[in-house]
Amino acid sequence: MKKKFWLLLAALFTLTLVLSACSGSKEENKNEGEGKETSRSKELNLVIASEPPSLHPGLATDSTSSAILNNVFEGLTTRQGDEIVNAAAEDISISDDQITYTIKLRDAKWSNGDPVTAYDFEYAWKWVLNPENASEYASMLYPIKNAEAYNKGKAKVEDVGIKVEDDKTLVVTLEQPTPYFLEMLAFKTYFPVNKNVAEKNPKWYTEAGEDYVTNGPFLLDSWNHNKDITLKKNPDYWDAANVALEKVNITMVESEQTATTMFDNGEIDFLGSPFQTVALDAIDQYKSEGILKIKDYAAIYVYKFNTTDEILKNKNIRRALALAIDRQSLIDNITKGEQKPALGMVPVAIKGFEEDRGYFKDNDVEEAKKALEQGMKELGISKPEDLKITISFNTSEAHAAIAQFIQENWRKNLGINATLDNSEWQVYLDKLSNLDYQVGRLGWIADYNDAYTFLEQYDSAQNGNNDTGWENPEYTRLLRESNKETDPEKRLELLKQAEAIIIEEMPVAPIYYYTNLSVAKDYVKNMETDILGNIYLKYVDVE
């Protein structure tokens, strides 16, 4: 998920991280065929936290954009609950050595009537890998043979293991066995793009209209920037008979408080990830009403450190800041969503990482003070108050409350007086990408159910999702070795060794593992997030 959460989780990762908001219309609409009124149309009204930064599958890096893209596009596979099922693919055959995937496409149409072909997938994937397009998620395609080499200018596009046999047959060759590749095929970076349209209009994805051509269950009917988005059911979608909703109205509402009021007033019918978040001060109310749902979530809330900064380049200063945070108290008193203190980089919802790995203790003030003293000595600083540190975050009541709590932890435990800095979401992402910050919050949602999705983003300082300036050759080597290891237990051990290195170096301070909080009106059915925080409106209904 890049900043998928980092939540990026777009402004999603606020407390319960990404919560989504959605609603069924209570208005009576005319039946087009007969001019009769129905008691309720198959319509939802949602709020989303911000303007989606990009609605191009190959450029989007955040959860706000993903919330839309997952419903207007469809990959070769998709998620149904926590299972991976075929979508645009009718059949996928895997060779005995698990290197070659032969994919047969089902008969499906683009929203402009064009057939969806293997050439559209080939075009989209090679577009992402083309270094000229600067796709921050290009690394998601690196399991494909020579994909990384091409993306880094060390191979030709024709060397990439993506071949079209005919309109309905795509053959993909991997670098090595990748046990989670079918899950990756469901991720937005693997969505197809209509080749004919995109070649004629390189800006096809910036506006709703005839050139915004999609293959998913819904169409992007309108997009009034910074105001609202409307989705309509795609009548030409191959599985349209199983799509209940006719229309989804999505209003951009930055304030969690406003979103909560809208839910309470019946203007929206669902509040939760990945659209908007449940306001912190509404959690107790919804718990008492018995309507708050809490689900495990493969996502983490972190504070990133800019390791190119004169102060935060010091490992001991970073460790001091990370160790001096009382995570359990933060959860009990601020986020209140039954999150778990993050004492590693991989959430306990990920298979193989369910137990605490024992890297450090929560709120270890004694060790934090020792690290601070050593760090200040190395920097030639005599007093903690001389450490000038700013905590940056995107505009959000929840992120602000978390930052204020941690600011107080650092003042009380270390004597450091940090300042706070908040920015609108897109401005904030630019700050992170440009290393124009010291300490910055982000959330990360798993792209697939494997530890690698949390660790891979720090494999080099050049990784578009890194945002810290940190890299470590041994860490990178262990990740590469894990990709070659076919024994599941040995591979798991390599990933845990890599996790131990990043926790020791602490370019990122893990804060808590998310849970997904949501509330819904009783007539909204099947509005559920999966373990990765996605909601597929294809399965949603209103009664």
Side-chain angles (χ1 to χ4, degrees), residues 198-217:
E199 288 183 335
K200 290 177 182 177
N201 178 11
K203 297 296 183 181
W204 63 271
Y205 58 92
T206 59
E207 302 288 345
E210 63 180 16
D211 284 346
Y212 197 88
V213 177
T214 61
N215 71 321

Side-chain angles (χ1 to χ4, degrees), residues 24-32 35-45 246-247 249 266 269 523 542-543:
S25 168
K26 294 183 177 180
E27 298 180 0
E28 293 185 340
N29 290 339
K30 294 289 184 179
N31 180 300
E32 288 185 11
K36 296 179 180 178
E37 292 184 342
T38 58
S39 60
R40 176 182 295 278
S41 66
K42 295 293 186 179
E43 188 168 332
L44 285 172
N45 297 308
E246 294 291 340
K247 187 178 182 182
N249 304 305
D269 303 326
Y523 48 78
V542 291
E543 292 182 352

Side-chain angles (χ1 to χ4, degrees), residues 120-174:
D120 296 315
F121 284 92
E122 178 193 37
Y123 170 80
W125 298 0
K126 289 182 177 178
W127 189 95
V128 167
L129 292 171
N130 186 337
E132 294 180 1
N133 295 321
S135 172
E136 293 185 61
Y137 253 149
S139 61
M140 280 291 290
L141 278 74
Y142 284 3
I144 299 172
K145 186 174 180 63
N146 288 321
E148 181 177 9
Y150 170 54
N151 185 238
K152 294 182 176 180
K154 298 177 181 178
K156 298 178 180 179
V157 64
E158 50 267 27
D159 298 328
V160 178
I162 304 169
K163 306 297 179 187
V164 174
E165 284 193 354
D166 55 52
D167 283 358
K168 296 296 182 184
T169 308
L170 184 69
V171 179
V172 183
T173 305
L174 306 185

Side-chain angles (χ1 to χ4, degrees), residues 158-380:
E158 50 267 27
D159 298 328
V160 178
I162 304 169
K163 306 297 179 187
V164 174
E165 284 193 354
D166 55 52
D167 283 358
K168 296 296 182 184
T169 308
L170 184 69
V171 179
V172 183
T173 305
L174 306 185
E175 290 280 2
Q176 61 265 322
T178 304
Y180 46 85
F181 189 64
L182 290 178
E183 289 209 32
M184 296 183 82
L185 291 176
F187 190 67
K188 60 179 176 283
T189 316
Y190 282 86
F191 289 167
V193 168
N194 187 298
K195 179 181 179 180
N196 294 330
V197 171
E199 288 183 335
K200 290 177 182 177
N201 178 11
K203 297 296 183 181
W204 63 271
Y205 58 92
T206 59
E207 302 288 345
E210 63 180 16
D211 284 346
Y212 197 88
V213 177
T214 61
N215 71 321
F218 293 92
L219 310 174
L220 185 68
D221 187 60
S222 68
W223 181 8
N224 298 308
H225 294 283
N226 298 302
K227 184 179 179 182
D228 56 52
I229 285 173
T230 302
L231 308 183
K232 284 190 176 180
K233 180 176 178 178
N234 180 1
D236 293 324
Y237 176 58
W238 67 271
D239 198 25
N242 290 312
V243 178
L245 296 177
E246 294 291 340
K247 187 178 182 182
V248 184
N249 304 305
I250 306 171
T251 304
M252 297 169 200
V253 176
E254 184 178 85
S255 168
E256 297 101 324
Q257 296 288 349
T258 301
T260 300
T261 300
M262 293 174 73
F263 178 81
D264 292 343
N265 291 342
E267 298 172 61
I268 59 175
D269 303 326
F270 177 93
L271 197 54
S273 167
F275 295 97
Q276 237 306 0
T277 54
V278 174
L280 293 177
D281 59 7
I283 292 175
D284 289 340
Q285 169 196 333
Y286 294 144
K287 281 184 178 179
S288 67
E289 293 175 6
I291 62 172
L292 184 71
K293 289 185 178 180
I294 302 176
K295 291 187 63 177
D296 287 337
Y297 196 7
I300 186 173
Y301 192 102
V302 304
Y303 268 22
K304 291 191 170 192
F305 298 125
N306 177 1
T307 64
T308 69
D309 177 77
E310 284 302 309
I311 294 173
L312 295 170
K313 68 182 180 182
N314 185 279
K315 179 181 78 171
N316 282 303
I317 298 296
R318 300 194 301 266
R319 287 188 59 78
L321 296 173
L323 294 174
I325 298 170
D326 188 345
R327 293 160 176 79
Q328 190 60 59
S329 181
L330 172 69
I331 292 165
D332 292 342
N333 297 292
I334 304 297
T335 64
K336 299 181 181 180
E338 300 182 17
Q339 297 89 351
K340 297 178 177 66
L343 304 177
M345 284 301 297
V346 181
V348 293
I350 294 293
K351 54 190 176 186
F353 285 75
E354 293 87 355
E355 303 298 328
D356 175 23
R357 278 79 73 193
Y359 298 126
F360 65 94
K361 296 178 181 178
D362 183 25
N363 194 34
D364 195 342
V365 178
E366 182 179 346
E367 287 299 317
K369 288 180 176 178
K370 291 179 182 178
L372 177 64
E373 182 179 357
Q374 180 63 31
M376 289 194 304
K377 183 184 298 184
E378 292 164 352
L379 292 173

Side-chain angles (χ1 to χ4, degrees), residues 527-543:
M527 192 82 175
E528 298 282 347
T529 55
D530 60 27
I531 196 171
L532 304 185
N534 302 311
I535 286 182
Y536 294 94
L537 298 172
K538 169 181 178 176
Y539 306 120
V540 177
D541 198 358
V542 291
E543 292 182 352

